[in-house]
Amino acid sequence: MKTAPELYVTNFNRNFTGVSATIAGVIQAQSYDLRLVGEALPGTPAPITKSEALLMSATRPADRDFSIWHVRRNTEMRAGIWARDVLRRPVKLVFTSAAQRRHSAFPRWLISRMDAVIATTPEAAGFVPHVKAVVPHGVDTKRFCPSIDRSADWMKLGFGGARGVACVGRIRVEKGTDRFVETMLRVLPEHPDVTALVIGRAGARDHSFLENLKQKVAAAGLSERLLFVGEIEGQRMPGIMRALSLLVPLPRYEGYGMTPLEGMASAVPFVASDTGYFSAFSAQGRGGLVIDADEAHAHVSALLAEPARLDALGQSARKLACESYSIQTEADGIAKVYEELWAGDA
């Protein structure tokens, strides 16, 4: 019988999210015999289906007593529990938790059934049981890298203007898309060479929210300079990110938040609200600025007015991302949890 892999990494969300990006990066940085289960991710092996994974899991991997299923979402935890507890597969379950707030009842029960939990921050660790390690998400500093000629790269994108700023993420109140728009309505008239991008899509429940924002932009006469470009495929994001001059994430809540790290690795600093792990990324202003969202306009405008300061901050951000938040550092931290499970020490 064919030997089963050591590791199954699940990705049941067909949309490319921040979680998807971290899964893809970690897979590329690991050396285990693994299978991606569910939806495809850029730069990773072709996935197998959940049914194939359940069937394959009936066999133990060579030199291991069990395989590990690494799950990150409710649906994925449910599938893993089914494999282990109902089908009696020789598997153990590892869950990564980024939420910095109390989970609702059903997710709490699912998490309680995990064999090991990895928290992305010390704060997140306080909301879940069975935490074996705190391992911050990392960024692939090879994929996300600085531009050799940012101005030329920006011009190639065809969005207009000489420089670009952006927010990236789902368009909804929680993500602070309205905060970004309100900030840009004040910043753009002061910096006529700048174009602003809202990168992301709105779910069905948020279409009216999006339409209201577009109407505000149109009323201000800035529809050609503040663009709603929709969701951008994951493989295109490194090229977009390195062409920007500044990233401006202003969410009301964020469990962790990958886009500032992707910007930092691209030598693009950020001005961000105080949520997620943004303060840690900032490192007292070395990677970006964490500010009160009501003051975003002043900080963004000041940075755009000082290109030399903006460039120096970008170089500092790149150095910080490489030294403290590389994807290899995350992969090594996760691998330690796997090895402890296999050794029976977890």
Side-chain angles (χ1 to χ4, degrees), residues 39-63:
E39 301 295 332
L41 290 171
T44 65
I48 62 175
T49 66
K50 180 173 68 174
S51 295
E52 289 173 322
L54 291 171
L55 183 61
M56 199 176 292
S57 293
T59 306
R60 289 178 172 81
D63 302 320

Side-chain angles (χ1 to χ4, degrees), residues 112-123:
S112 75
R113 303 296 300 157
M114 298 296 103
D115 295 292
V117 173
I118 298 171
T120 58
T121 67
E123 292 77 13

Side-chain angles (χ1 to χ4, degrees), residues 7-49:
L7 177 64
Y8 298 86
V9 179
T10 55
N11 177 48
F12 291 177
N13 191 338
R14 66 182 57 188
N15 297 318
F16 190 83
T17 66
V19 172
S20 308
T22 65
I23 297 171
V26 170
I27 286 175
Q28 293 172 50
Q30 287 179 330
S31 57
Y32 292 107
D33 179 15
L34 65 83
R35 300 293 184 276
L36 174 64
V37 184
E39 301 295 332
L41 290 171
T44 65
I48 62 175
T49 66

Side-chain angles (χ1 to χ4, degrees), residues 180-181 184-185 188 196 198 217 222-228:
F180 177 79
V181 168
M184 291 303 111
L185 291 181
L188 294 179
V198 176
V217 173
L222 291 170
S223 295
E224 294 185 359
R225 295 184 56 211
L226 206 172
L227 310 177
F228 295 83

